[in-house]
CSV table of all heavy atoms in Angstrom, one decimal:
chain,number,residue,atom,x,y,z
A,1,ALA,N,135.2,154.2,51.4
A,1,ALA,CA,136.7,154.4,51.2
A,1,ALA,C,136.9,155.2,49.8
A,1,ALA,O,136.3,155.0,48.9
A,1,ALA,CB,137.5,153.1,51.0
A,2,ILE,N,137.9,156.1,49.9
A,2,ILE,CA,138.2,156.9,48.7
A,2,ILE,C,138.6,156.0,47.5
A,2,ILE,O,138.4,156.4,46.4
A,2,ILE,CB,139.3,158.0,49.0
A,2,ILE,CG1,138.8,158.9,50.2
A,2,ILE,CG2,139.7,158.8,47.8
A,2,ILE,CD1,137.7,159.8,49.8
A,3,ASP,N,139.3,154.9,47.9
A,3,ASP,CA,139.8,154.0,46.8
A,3,ASP,C,138.7,153.5,46.0
A,3,ASP,O,138.8,153.4,44.8
A,3,ASP,CB,140.6,152.9,47.4
A,3,ASP,CG,141.9,153.4,48.1
A,3,ASP,OD1,142.4,154.5,47.8
A,3,ASP,OD2,142.4,152.7,49.0
A,4,LYS,N,137.6,153.1,46.6
A,4,LYS,CA,136.4,152.6,45.9
A,4,LYS,C,135.8,153.6,45.1
A,4,LYS,O,135.4,153.4,43.9
A,4,LYS,CB,135.4,152.0,46.9
A,4,LYS,CG,135.8,150.7,47.5
A,4,LYS,CD,134.6,150.0,48.3
A,4,LYS,CE,135.0,148.6,48.8
A,4,LYS,NZ,133.9,148.0,49.4
A,5,ALA,N,135.6,154.8,45.6
A,5,ALA,CA,135.0,155.9,44.8
A,5,ALA,C,135.9,156.2,43.6
A,5,ALA,O,135.4,156.5,42.5
A,5,ALA,CB,134.8,157.1,45.7
A,6,LEU,N,137.2,156.2,43.8
A,6,LEU,CA,138.1,156.5,42.7
A,6,LEU,C,138.1,155.5,41.6
A,6,LEU,O,138.1,155.8,40.4
A,6,LEU,CB,139.5,156.6,43.3
A,6,LEU,CG,140.7,157.2,42.3
A,6,LEU,CD1,140.3,158.5,41.8
A,6,LEU,CD2,142.0,157.2,43.0
A,7,LYS,N,137.9,154.2,42.1
A,7,LYS,CA,137.8,153.1,41.1
A,7,LYS,C,136.5,153.2,40.3
A,7,LYS,O,136.5,153.0,39.1
A,7,LYS,CB,137.7,151.8,41.9
A,7,LYS,CG,138.0,150.5,41.1
A,7,LYS,CD,138.1,149.3,41.9
A,7,LYS,CE,138.4,148.1,41.1
A,7,LYS,NZ,138.6,146.9,41.9
A,8,ARG,N,135.4,153.6,40.9
A,8,ARG,CA,134.1,153.8,40.2
A,8,ARG,C,134.3,155.0,39.1
A,8,ARG,O,133.8,154.9,38.0
A,8,ARG,CB,133.0,154.1,41.1
A,8,ARG,CG,132.4,152.9,41.8
A,8,ARG,CD,131.2,153.2,42.5
A,8,ARG,NE,131.4,154.0,43.6
A,8,ARG,CZ,130.6,155.0,44.0
A,8,ARG,NH1,129.6,155.3,43.3
A,8,ARG,NH2,130.9,155.8,45.1
A,9,PHE,N,135.0,156.1,39.5
A,9,PHE,CA,135.3,157.1,38.7
A,9,PHE,C,136.0,156.7,37.5
A,9,PHE,O,135.7,157.1,36.4
A,9,PHE,CB,136.0,158.3,39.4
A,9,PHE,CG,136.5,159.4,38.5
A,9,PHE,CD1,135.6,160.3,38.0
A,9,PHE,CD2,137.7,159.4,38.1
A,9,PHE,CE1,136.0,161.3,37.2
A,9,PHE,CE2,138.3,160.5,37.2
A,9,PHE,CZ,137.3,161.4,36.8
A,10,LYS,N,137.1,155.9,37.7
A,10,LYS,CA,138.0,155.5,36.6
A,10,LYS,C,137.2,154.6,35.6
A,10,LYS,O,137.3,154.7,34.4
A,10,LYS,CB,139.2,154.7,37.2
A,10,LYS,CG,140.2,155.6,37.8
A,10,LYS,CD,141.4,154.7,38.3
A,10,LYS,CE,142.4,155.6,38.9
A,10,LYS,NZ,143.5,154.7,39.4
A,11,LYS,N,136.2,153.7,36.2
A,11,LYS,CA,135.4,152.9,35.3
A,11,LYS,C,134.6,153.8,34.4
A,11,LYS,O,134.4,153.6,33.2
A,11,LYS,CB,134.6,151.9,36.1
A,11,LYS,CG,135.2,150.7,36.4
A,11,LYS,CD,134.3,149.8,37.1
A,11,LYS,CE,134.9,148.4,37.5
A,11,LYS,NZ,134.0,147.5,38.2
A,12,LYS,N,133.9,154.7,35.0
A,12,LYS,CA,133.0,155.7,34.2
A,12,LYS,C,133.8,156.4,33.3
A,12,LYS,O,133.3,156.6,32.1
A,12,LYS,CB,132.2,156.6,35.2
A,12,LYS,CG,131.0,156.0,35.8
A,12,LYS,CD,130.2,157.2,36.5
A,12,LYS,CE,128.9,156.6,37.0
A,12,LYS,NZ,128.1,157.7,37.6
A,13,PHE,N,134.9,156.9,33.7
A,13,PHE,CA,135.8,157.7,32.7
A,13,PHE,C,136.2,156.8,31.5
A,13,PHE,O,136.2,157.3,30.3
A,13,PHE,CB,137.0,158.2,33.4
A,13,PHE,CG,137.8,159.1,32.6
A,13,PHE,CD1,137.4,160.4,32.3
A,13,PHE,CD2,139.1,158.7,32.1
A,13,PHE,CE1,138.2,161.3,31.6
A,13,PHE,CE2,139.9,159.5,31.4
A,13,PHE,CZ,139.4,160.9,31.1
A,14,GLU,N,136.6,155.6,31.8
A,14,GLU,CA,137.0,154.7,30.7
A,14,GLU,C,135.8,154.4,29.7
A,14,GLU,O,135.9,154.4,28.5
A,14,GLU,CB,137.4,153.3,31.2
A,14,GLU,CG,138.9,153.2,31.1
A,14,GLU,CD,139.4,151.8,31.6
A,14,GLU,OE1,138.9,150.9,31.2
A,14,GLU,OE2,140.2,151.8,32.5
A,15,LYS,N,134.6,154.3,30.2
A,15,LYS,CA,133.4,154.1,29.4
A,15,LYS,C,133.1,155.2,28.5
A,15,LYS,O,132.5,155.0,27.4
A,15,LYS,CB,132.2,153.7,30.3
A,15,LYS,CG,132.2,152.4,30.9
A,15,LYS,CD,131.0,152.0,31.6
A,15,LYS,CE,130.9,150.6,32.1
A,15,LYS,NZ,129.8,150.3,32.9
A,16,THR,N,133.5,156.4,28.9
A,16,THR,CA,133.1,157.6,28.1
A,16,THR,C,134.1,157.6,26.8
A,16,THR,O,133.7,158.1,25.7
A,16,THR,CB,133.4,158.9,28.8
A,16,THR,OG1,134.7,158.9,29.2
A,16,THR,CG2,132.5,159.1,29.9
A,17,GLY,N,135.2,157.0,26.8
A,17,GLY,CA,136.1,156.8,25.7
A,17,GLY,C,136.9,158.1,25.4
A,17,GLY,O,137.3,158.3,24.2
A,18,VAL,N,137.0,159.0,26.4
A,18,VAL,CA,137.7,160.2,26.1
A,18,VAL,C,139.2,160.0,25.8
A,18,VAL,O,139.7,160.5,24.9
A,18,VAL,CB,137.6,161.1,27.4
A,18,VAL,CG1,138.5,162.4,27.1
A,18,VAL,CG2,136.2,161.6,27.6
A,19,LEU,N,139.8,159.1,26.6
A,19,LEU,CA,141.3,158.8,26.3
A,19,LEU,C,141.5,158.2,25.0
A,19,LEU,O,142.5,158.6,24.3
A,19,LEU,CB,141.9,158.0,27.4
A,19,LEU,CG,142.3,158.7,28.7
A,19,LEU,CD1,142.9,157.8,29.7
A,19,LEU,CD2,143.3,159.8,28.4
A,20,ARG,N,140.6,157.3,24.6
A,20,ARG,CA,140.8,156.6,23.3
A,20,ARG,C,140.7,157.6,22.2
A,20,ARG,O,141.4,157.5,21.3
A,20,ARG,CB,139.7,155.6,23.2
A,20,ARG,CG,139.9,154.5,22.2
A,20,ARG,CD,138.9,153.4,22.2
A,20,ARG,NE,138.4,153.0,23.5
A,20,ARG,CZ,137.2,153.1,23.9
A,20,ARG,NH1,136.2,153.5,23.1
A,20,ARG,NH2,136.8,152.7,25.1
A,21,GLU,N,139.7,158.5,22.3
A,21,GLU,CA,139.5,159.5,21.3
A,21,GLU,C,140.8,160.5,21.2
A,21,GLU,O,141.3,160.8,20.1
A,21,GLU,CB,138.3,160.4,21.7
A,21,GLU,CG,138.0,161.4,20.6
A,21,GLU,CD,137.4,160.9,19.4
A,21,GLU,OE1,136.8,159.6,19.4
A,21,GLU,OE2,137.5,161.5,18.3
A,22,LEU,N,141.3,160.8,22.4
A,22,LEU,CA,142.5,161.7,22.4
A,22,LEU,C,143.7,161.0,21.7
A,22,LEU,O,144.4,161.6,20.8
A,22,LEU,CB,142.9,162.0,23.8
A,22,LEU,CG,142.3,163.3,24.4
A,22,LEU,CD1,142.7,163.4,25.9
A,22,LEU,CD2,142.7,164.5,23.7
A,23,ARG,N,143.9,159.8,22.0
A,23,ARG,CA,145.0,159.0,21.3
A,23,ARG,C,144.8,158.9,19.8
A,23,ARG,O,145.8,159.0,19.1
A,23,ARG,CB,145.2,157.7,22.0
A,23,ARG,CG,145.7,157.7,23.4
A,23,ARG,CD,146.1,156.4,24.0
A,23,ARG,NE,146.6,156.6,25.3
A,23,ARG,CZ,146.0,156.0,26.4
A,23,ARG,NH1,144.9,155.3,26.3
A,23,ARG,NH2,146.5,156.2,27.6
A,24,SER,N,143.6,158.7,19.4
A,24,SER,CA,143.4,158.5,18.0
A,24,SER,C,143.6,159.8,17.3
A,24,SER,O,143.9,159.9,16.1
A,24,SER,CB,142.0,158.0,17.7
A,24,SER,OG,141.0,158.9,18.1
A,25,ARG,N,143.3,161.0,17.9
A,25,ARG,CA,143.5,162.3,17.3
A,25,ARG,C,145.0,162.8,17.4
A,25,ARG,O,145.2,163.8,16.7
A,25,ARG,CB,142.6,163.3,17.9
A,25,ARG,CG,141.1,163.1,17.6
A,25,ARG,CD,140.2,164.1,18.3
A,25,ARG,NE,138.9,163.9,18.1
A,25,ARG,CZ,138.0,164.8,17.9
A,25,ARG,NH1,138.4,166.0,17.8
A,25,ARG,NH2,136.7,164.5,17.7
A,26,GLN,N,145.8,162.1,18.0
A,26,GLN,CA,147.2,162.6,18.1
A,26,GLN,C,147.9,162.6,16.8
A,26,GLN,O,148.7,163.5,16.5
A,26,GLN,CB,148.0,161.8,19.1
A,26,GLN,CG,147.8,162.2,20.5
A,26,GLN,CD,148.7,161.4,21.5
A,26,GLN,OE1,149.1,160.3,21.2
A,26,GLN,NE2,149.0,161.9,22.7
A,27,ALA,N,147.6,161.6,16.0
A,27,ALA,CA,148.3,161.5,14.7
A,27,ALA,C,147.1,161.2,13.7
A,27,ALA,O,146.2,160.4,13.9
A,27,ALA,CB,149.2,160.4,14.7
A,28,PHE,N,147.3,161.8,12.5
A,28,PHE,CA,146.3,161.6,11.4
A,28,PHE,C,146.5,160.2,10.9
A,28,PHE,O,147.5,159.6,10.7
A,28,PHE,CB,146.6,162.6,10.3
A,28,PHE,CG,145.6,162.3,9.2
A,28,PHE,CD1,144.3,162.8,9.3
A,28,PHE,CD2,146.1,161.8,8.0
A,28,PHE,CE1,143.4,162.6,8.2
A,28,PHE,CE2,145.2,161.7,6.9
A,28,PHE,CZ,143.9,162.0,7.1
A,29,GLU,N,145.3,159.6,10.6
A,29,GLU,CA,145.2,158.2,10.1
A,29,GLU,C,144.5,158.2,8.8
A,29,GLU,O,143.4,158.8,8.7
A,29,GLU,CB,144.5,157.3,11.1
A,29,GLU,CG,144.6,155.8,10.7
A,29,GLU,CD,144.0,155.0,11.8
A,29,GLU,OE1,142.9,155.3,12.3
A,29,GLU,OE2,144.6,154.0,12.1
A,30,LYS,N,145.0,157.8,7.7
A,30,LYS,CA,144.4,157.7,6.4
A,30,LYS,C,143.1,156.9,6.4
A,30,LYS,O,143.0,156.0,7.3
A,30,LYS,CB,145.4,157.1,5.4
A,30,LYS,CG,146.5,158.0,5.0
A,30,LYS,CD,147.4,157.7,3.9
A,30,LYS,CE,147.3,156.3,3.4
A,30,LYS,NZ,148.3,156.0,2.3
A,31,ARG,N,142.2,157.2,5.6
A,31,ARG,CA,140.9,156.5,5.6
A,31,ARG,C,141.1,155.0,5.3
A,31,ARG,O,140.4,154.2,5.8
A,31,ARG,CB,140.0,157.1,4.5
A,31,ARG,CG,139.3,158.4,4.9
A,31,ARG,CD,138.3,158.7,3.9
A,31,ARG,NE,137.6,160.0,4.3
A,31,ARG,CZ,136.8,160.7,3.6
A,31,ARG,NH1,136.7,160.3,2.3
A,31,ARG,NH2,136.3,161.7,4.0
A,32,SER,N,142.1,154.7,4.4
A,32,SER,CA,142.2,153.3,4.0
A,32,SER,C,142.8,152.6,5.2
A,32,SER,O,142.3,151.4,5.4
A,32,SER,CB,143.2,153.3,2.8
A,32,SER,OG,144.5,153.8,3.2
A,33,VAL,N,143.6,153.2,6.0
A,33,VAL,CA,144.2,152.4,7.2
A,33,VAL,C,143.1,152.3,8.2
A,33,VAL,O,142.9,151.2,8.8
A,33,VAL,CB,145.4,153.3,7.7
A,33,VAL,CG1,145.9,152.7,9.1
A,33,VAL,CG2,146.5,153.4,6.7
């Protein structure tokens, strides 16, 4: 089923941390913070 393949893709994509990295780069964060 395409749903299962899509679910596997989403899991792999989450593990790469691309979205987390993008969100962290949206705004500058001071070193102390």
Side-chain angles (χ1 to χ4, degrees):
I2 297 295
D3 296 335
K4 282 189 178 183
L6 190 61
K7 192 172 185 177
R8 281 192 292 139
F9 171 77
K10 286 181 181 179
K11 272 188 184 177
K12 274 191 176 181
F13 185 73
E14 255 183 54
K15 283 185 181 180
T16 59
V18 174
L19 279 181
R20 197 175 322 119
E21 183 74 22
L22 273 175
R23 288 190 182 119
S24 69
R25 289 179 184 220
Q26 277 183 339
F28 179 75
E29 189 176 44
K30 292 185 348 184
R31 281 188 179 169
S32 59
V33 175

